[in-house]
Amino acid sequence: MHTRRIGDVEVSAIGLGAMPMSIEGRPDEERSLATLHAALDAGVTLIDTADAYHLHADEVGHNETLIAKALASHERGDEVLVATKGGHLRPGDGSWTLDGSPRHLKEACEASLRRLGVEAIGLYQFHRPDPKVDYAESVGAVRDLLDEGKIRMAGISNANPEQIRQAQDILGGRLVAVQNQFSPAFRSSEPELRLCDELGIAFLPWSPLGGISKAGELGSAHGAFARIAEARGVSPQRVCLAWMLAKSPVVVPIPGASRPETIRDSAAATDLVLTDDEVAELDAA
């Protein structure tokens, strides 16, 4: 497994987005644990989660608890950087709401610490801007958590270039990661990717394969990826992740998975090196 850096931590170049194991359509716990263990066996050392990855109102942090259980039961569990998030909520009716208030973020972090069973969270990210709360106040809460040693590294998610620069300033140059949606079908985060490359900040594409319901159709929806995949004898999904890795050394995709075979295929993308012509064809697709 090839590696990249988030802050001062070396991680696998492909991470695992654990959300599919806790929301609608989630598998049983046995398969989820098998998927998490398969990721570790494949060399994955970055797992992304959030306290909002759950179904019912009374199971906040379901995904964090699942990850903690998987890591505790695997010999390589202590090698993993767990990245979690706060500021997004699920009331239990299928909807998503926001609370970017400093009070909520600090309470959410404390709860995540307990569920993960750690003294400090490896990477804590402000999940999504809350229009009811000044962005500086939300990021300021993350700064406080960093200063207090509750979190080891700080990141933001779903941010635009102005917010990235603002967060970097508020955090005193300690912003290490930006997690935005980016995929063949969703390329509007290119400016954020370029800015992260310029600033040396890790860029973590979420839903890099198009999301839970569309990942399997990536090849049929995007012909260039299918053509190169056929020529290389690999899946279109693996080509997609290799394409992202080729864009910049700061890119660390976090494809979701809920089956062992899916994360194994994704992890293998670090060994697929595309030619300049192939990258150019995919860029233009």
Side-chain angles (χ1 to χ4, degrees):
M1 171 65 74
H2 297 276
T3 60
R4 295 201 164 176
R5 299 196 73 82
I6 298 178
D8 60 359
V9 178
E10 189 172 330
V11 299
S12 54
I14 296 289
L16 167 64
M19 183 178 76
M21 289 178 267
S22 289
I23 65 166
E24 288 80 358
R26 67 191 186 192
D28 59 33
E29 185 175 284
E30 182 179 3
R31 196 177 92 186
S32 291
L33 292 173
T35 301
L36 287 157
H37 285 174
L40 272 64
D41 291 340
V44 171
T45 57
L46 170 66
I47 298 178
D48 180 80
T49 182
D51 59 1
Y53 294 164
H54 63 90
L55 269 179
H56 310 296
D58 62 351
E59 57 169 19
V60 174
H62 177 277
N63 202 241
E64 293 174 325
T65 302
L66 184 68
I67 289 167
K69 185 173 183 177
L71 297 184
S73 58
H74 195 282
E75 60 184 5
R76 297 187 58 198
D78 59 357
E79 301 173 21
V80 173
L81 173 65
V82 176
T84 192
K85 299 181 285 294
H88 222 352
L89 300 89
R90 299 203 80 190
D93 59 0
S95 66
W96 297 77
T97 60
L98 299 168
D99 190 345
S101 66
R103 177 178 178 177
H104 172 75
L105 290 172
K106 292 179 180 182
E107 291 176 349
C109 179
E110 292 287 352
S112 291
L113 281 165
R114 291 192 295 271
R115 285 187 291 266
L116 292 170
V118 295
E119 294 183 0
I121 291 170
L123 172 59
Y124 195 71
Q125 303 157 101
F126 177 38
H127 203 153
R128 186 179 289 272
D130 181 351
K132 300 186 299 296
V133 180
D134 185 80
Y135 194 69
E137 291 186 16
S138 300
V139 177
V142 178
R143 176 200 59 213
D144 293 345
L145 292 168
L146 192 59
D147 291 341
E148 294 165 7
K150 303 284 187 182
I151 65 177
R152 300 191 189 282
M153 296 188 293
I156 55 176
S157 184
N158 302 297
N160 62 36
E162 180 183 354
Q163 290 165 334
I164 293 172
R165 293 187 185 277
Q166 184 180 9
Q168 177 73 317
D169 181 60
I170 293 168
L171 290 164
R174 295 177 292 172
L175 179 67
V176 302
V178 173
Q179 184 180 144
N180 275 19
Q181 184 176 9
F182 183 71
S183 69
F186 191 95
R187 305 194 189 194
S188 61
S189 284
E190 285 271 11
E192 289 82 7
L193 191 163
R194 291 194 296 269
L195 179 57
C196 286
D197 181 76
E198 174 189 328
L199 298 176
I201 296 169
F203 183 83
L204 282 52
W206 62 264
S207 288
L209 304 177
I212 296 172
S213 63
K214 297 182 179 178
E217 304 166 4
L218 190 149
S220 57
H222 304 279
F225 290 85
R227 287 193 297 275
I228 292 173
E230 184 176 4
R232 291 298 200 101
V234 298
S235 69
Q237 291 78 11
R238 197 182 303 186
V239 170
C240 177
L241 297 172
W243 166 67
M244 291 187 178
L245 292 172
K247 282 188 161 293
S248 166
V250 304
V251 174
V252 185
I254 47 172
S258 62
R259 295 179 296 146
E261 55 268 34
T262 304
I263 188 56
R264 290 191 195 106
D265 186 72
S266 292
T270 65
D271 293 324
L272 177 61
V273 179
L274 301 175
T275 67
D276 290 345
D277 288 344
E278 287 172 330
V279 171
E281 180 181 352
L282 296 173
D283 281 341

